[in-house]
C-alpha cells in the first residue's frame, strides 16, 4: 500500500496522519515534502499519527529521527500518536524508543504540546483575536495573512475537534467558520458552548474559489460590518 498522508494544523501544531509504507524512495520523499511545509509555515511542533503505518524501513525510521532532531534544535519536537505494534517493536529493537514521546491518541499528543506551553501573554495586537476553522490550509493561510495585515491576532484550526482543544488554552473574540465535514450551522453551537463570548461568523464556501482580490474585499466587508477590523478611512 503506497503512503497516504493527511495534513492539518491545530494552532501552532502540524498534525500528520500517515497510512501505508514509510520506506526509501517516493514514500520518504513524499513525507519529507509535507514536513518541509513546516518551515514555510513557521511550525516546529509536529504530531505524527502512525496508526496506519504498516511498514517502516531503516530510511523511514532515519527520516523520523532526523526530523525530530531538527525540530528540537528549533525548540520544537515530533511526537508520535497511536504507534502500531510494528513500530513500537522496531523502536525497542533499535533503542530509539527512549528518544521519542509517544501517546495513545492524537488528542493526547496535541495536548502534550499545549499543556507545556506558557500561558499566552496579553496580546499587544491592535485588533481582534480571530480563529479560522477551515480544512483548506491554503485558504486558511490566505485569510490569516489578510487579517494579520489589519492588526488581528490569528489562530488556525483545520477541524472542529482541534478548535475545541485550542479554545481550552486561548480565548478568542471571533471564530470564522469555513469549510468542514459538517455545515457551519451544525458546527457553530459546538464552538459557542466552548467559547460563549466569541462571535461566530460562517464564511461563504465560494470564497475558496473566488478571485483573490474579490475574496479579500468580501471578507473584509464582512469583518468591518461586525467591527472586527477597522472601517476604511
Amino acid at each position: 500500500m503506497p503512503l497516504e498522508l493527511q495534513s492539518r494544523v491545530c494552532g501552532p501544531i502540524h498534525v500528520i496522519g500517515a497510512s501505508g509504507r514509510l520506506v526509501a524512495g517516493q514514500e520518504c520523499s513524499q513525507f519529507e515534502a509535507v514536513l518541509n511545509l513546516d518551515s514555510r509555515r513557521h511550525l516546529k511542533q509536529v504530531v505524527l499519527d502512525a496508526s496506519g503505518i504498516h511498514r517502516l524501513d531503516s530510511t523511514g525510521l532515519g527520516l523520523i529521527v532526523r526530523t525530530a532532531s531538527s525540530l528540537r534544535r528549533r525548540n520544537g519536537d515530533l511526537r508520535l500518536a497511536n504507534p502500531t505494534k510494528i513500530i513500537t517493536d522496531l523502536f525497542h529493537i533499535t533503542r530509539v524508543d527512549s528518544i521519542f514521546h509517544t501517546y495513545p491518541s492524537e488528542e493526547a499528543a496535541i495536548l502534550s504540546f499545549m499543556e507545556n506551553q506558557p500561558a499566552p501573554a496579553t496580546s499587544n495586537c491592535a485588533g481582534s483575536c480571530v480563529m479560522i476553522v477551515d480544512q483548506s490550509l491554503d485558504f486558511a493561510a490566505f485569510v490569516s495573512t489578510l487579517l494579520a495585515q489589519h492588526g488581528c491576532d490569528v489562530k488556525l484550526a483545520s477541524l472542529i475537534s482541534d478548535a475545541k482543544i485550542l479554545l481550552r488554552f486561548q480565548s478568542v473574540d471571533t471564530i470564522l467558520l469555513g469549510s468542514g465535514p459538517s455545515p457551519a450551522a451544525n458546527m457553530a453551537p459546538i464552538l459557542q458552548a466552548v467559547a460563549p463570548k466569541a462571535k461566530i461568523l460562517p464564511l461563504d464556501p465560494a470564497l475558496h474559489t473566488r478571485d483573490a482580490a474579490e475574496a479579500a474585499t468580501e471578507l473584509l466587508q464582512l469583518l468591518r460590518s461586525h467591527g472586527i477590523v477597522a472601517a476604511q478611512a
Side-chain angles (χ1 to χ4, degrees), residues 91-133:
F91 278 20
H92 179 69
I93 291 170
T94 56
R95 298 188 178 182
V96 300
D97 50 353
S98 61
I99 66 175
F100 282 105
H101 299 286
T102 60
Y103 298 87
S105 67
E106 275 188 1
E107 181 173 346
I110 292 170
L111 286 172
S112 73
F113 279 122
M114 302 296 295
E115 291 171 344
N116 292 329
Q117 290 180 351
T122 302
S123 176
N124 294 323
C125 184
S128 300
C129 184
V130 180
M131 177 178 289
I132 306 161
V133 185

Side-chain angles (χ1 to χ4, degrees), residues 23-44:
V23 296
Q26 180 180 350
E27 287 83 359
C28 276
S29 298
Q30 180 183 349
F31 185 58
E32 191 163 19
V34 172
L35 289 168
N36 286 339
L37 293 175
D38 293 338
S39 58
R40 297 202 292 273
R41 296 178 184 139
H42 305 290
L43 300 176
K44 54 187 178 182

